[in-house]
Amino acid sequence: MQKSLKIDPNKCTGCLQCEMACATKHHGTFTISRSRIKVFSFEAEGRKVPYTCTQCDEAWCLHACPVEAIRKDARTGAKYVKDDLCVGCKVCTIACPFGTVNYVAATGKVQKCDLCGGDQPACAQACPTGAITYVDADWTGLDRMRQWAGKTDTNPAAV
């Protein structure tokens, strides 16, 4: 069973624990600028929104890579970057419609979420409010379905 990250921005407090956990897991540092998940702050609205790679089925980044440095893990479904093959051309950063593949100048390579290799991702483990969870990939839209279903008119006008 493949799983994916489910993000509920309504539960995010902007504590940045997810960013620190990601940076620590992948780089051994609390430097959040190296994190593969980002928490965006919309100050005027008082909202914090965590955002990372959605692991698209038709991954444009993977198809755009001219040296096949982005691969799909058959077990987890995660698309990951093979650092030894990446030439830092940034074509994948242009191809990604969501901007979740990022070039890292310090390494000359790109990085993106790899779901921590299929274990419980560090960001989900570190999230104290449950804003980030690791769920069955087939059910990521279930809560949204429930929300829309709840908006149906239970007392329709007579036809």
Side-chain angles (χ1 to χ4, degrees), residues 66-149:
V67 295
E68 299 181 4
I70 298 180
R71 305 281 176 91
K72 179 179 179 180
D73 183 312
R75 185 176 61 84
T76 66
K79 283 65 174 188
Y80 64 96
V81 178
K82 285 192 60 86
D83 285 342
D84 58 330
L85 296 178
C86 179
V87 295
C89 68
K90 306 176 203 162
V91 172
C92 56
T93 66
I94 297 165
C96 176
F98 307 108
T100 58
V101 183
N102 296 291
Y103 178 73
V104 180
T107 62
K109 312 277 183 185
V110 296
Q111 71 173 14
K112 63 178 288 312
C113 174
D114 61 0
L115 298 177
C116 293
D119 296 330
Q120 178 76 0
C123 58
Q125 277 186 321
C127 182
T129 64
I132 303 168
T133 52
Y134 195 46
V135 300
D136 181 341
D138 292 340
W139 293 105
T140 54
L142 187 60
D143 286 344
R144 188 170 301 154
M145 286 171 64
R146 182 176 291 122
Q147 242 176 3
W148 280 104

